[in-house]
């Protein structure tokens, strides 16, 4: 199984992903680590990525998913996956891929983002992500007002 934690920046994907993967003994992949340098530079400048700029990044993540499935391993992936087309591309009809939408109020996420140090996302880009976000109809939805540990417990109860 592969669990993809999706949502806007600041929703807790990395924090929850690390805890969940550690609890399960699975591999964790942080999608941000796979952006090409040009994407990171644009994001640092406050420039939202286009679909064309996101595609090489999504292709790398899709290859990780395919290799994990081929090796019959499990993984947790943190990836914004803001649009349905991105999620379809990542899952590519693999039934073992599950999406968890970490959903939260804009104000809460903005507060979290403003507390971050050394990350390329900023408040303007967050607003762009909310505008781009197509809320999934086929994902397990978790309200991020809960503690990371409570969220991990809910995810484990849902899928394991």
């Amino acid at each position: 199984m592969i669990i993809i934690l999706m949502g806007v920046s600041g929703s807790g994907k990395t924090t929850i992903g690390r805890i969940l993967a550690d609890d399960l003994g699975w591999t964790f992949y942080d999608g941000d680590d796979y952006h090409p340098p040009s994407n990171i530079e644009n994001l640092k400048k406050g420039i939202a990525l286009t679909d064309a700029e996101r595609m090489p990044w999504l292709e790398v993540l899709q290859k990780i998913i395919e290799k994990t499935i081929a090796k019959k391993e499990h993984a947790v992936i943190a990836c914004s996956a803001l649009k349905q087309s991105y999620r379809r591309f990542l899952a590519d009809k693999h039934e073992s891929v599950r999406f968890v939408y970490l959903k939260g109020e804009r104000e809460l996420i903005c507060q979290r983002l403003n507390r971050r140090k050394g990350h390329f996302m900023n408040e303007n880009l967050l607003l762009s992500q909310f505008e781009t976000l197509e809320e999934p109809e086929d994902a397990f939805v978790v309200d991020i007002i809960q503690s990371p540990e409570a969220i991990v417990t809910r995810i484990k109860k849902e899928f394991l």
Side-chain angles (χ1 to χ4, degrees):
M1 178 182 299
I2 295 173
I3 296 175
I4 299 178
L5 301 171
M6 60 149 299
V8 298
S9 187
S11 60
K13 297 182 297 291
T14 300
T15 300
I16 293 162
R18 285 187 175 131
I19 295 169
L20 180 61
D22 283 348
D23 277 6
L24 298 173
W26 294 4
T27 304
F28 173 69
Y29 298 95
D30 189 338
D32 285 346
D33 294 341
Y34 298 92
H35 273 294
S38 58
N39 283 7
I40 299 296
E41 283 306 309
N42 281 341
L43 293 169
K44 284 180 179 178
K45 293 176 187 173
I47 301 169
L49 301 177
T50 65
D51 286 349
E53 290 167 323
R54 283 188 177 101
M55 191 48 63
W57 171 65
L58 291 169
E59 287 170 348
V60 170
L61 295 177
Q62 184 191 51
K63 285 178 183 156
I64 289 169
I65 292 166
E66 289 173 355
K67 286 179 184 177
T68 302
I69 291 170
K71 293 193 284 187
K72 296 183 179 2
E73 295 178 353
H74 305 285
V76 177
I77 300 174
C79 172
S80 55
L82 298 174
K83 291 185 177 182
Q84 182 63 33
S85 61
Y86 304 164
R87 296 186 291 273
R88 243 189 332 268
F89 179 78
L90 290 170
D92 193 30
K93 301 178 186 144
H94 295 297
E95 292 182 15
S96 60
V97 176
R98 303 285 191 269
F99 288 92
V100 175
Y101 173 32
L102 300 176
K103 183 176 181 172
E105 296 296 321
R106 189 177 300 193
E107 296 77 26
L108 172 62
I109 294 173
C110 216
Q111 288 171 5
R112 289 180 177 185
L113 205 57
N114 287 331
R115 287 193 303 254
R116 274 187 177 175
K117 302 287 185 243
H119 196 273
F120 54 79
M121 284 299 289
N122 63 43
E123 195 171 332
N124 290 335
L125 286 174
L126 176 63
L127 296 177
S128 167
Q129 284 197 330
F130 270 108
E131 290 169 3
T132 302
L133 176 64
E134 297 170 1
E135 290 199 347
E137 296 178 7
D138 56 348
F140 180 61
V141 181
V142 181
D143 189 332
I144 63 165
I145 196 76
Q146 305 168 70
S147 72
E149 294 76 14
I151 292 170
V152 166
T153 298
R154 289 207 52 219
I155 293 168
K156 287 170 33 179
K157 282 183 183 176
E158 177 68 17
F159 293 115
L160 305 173

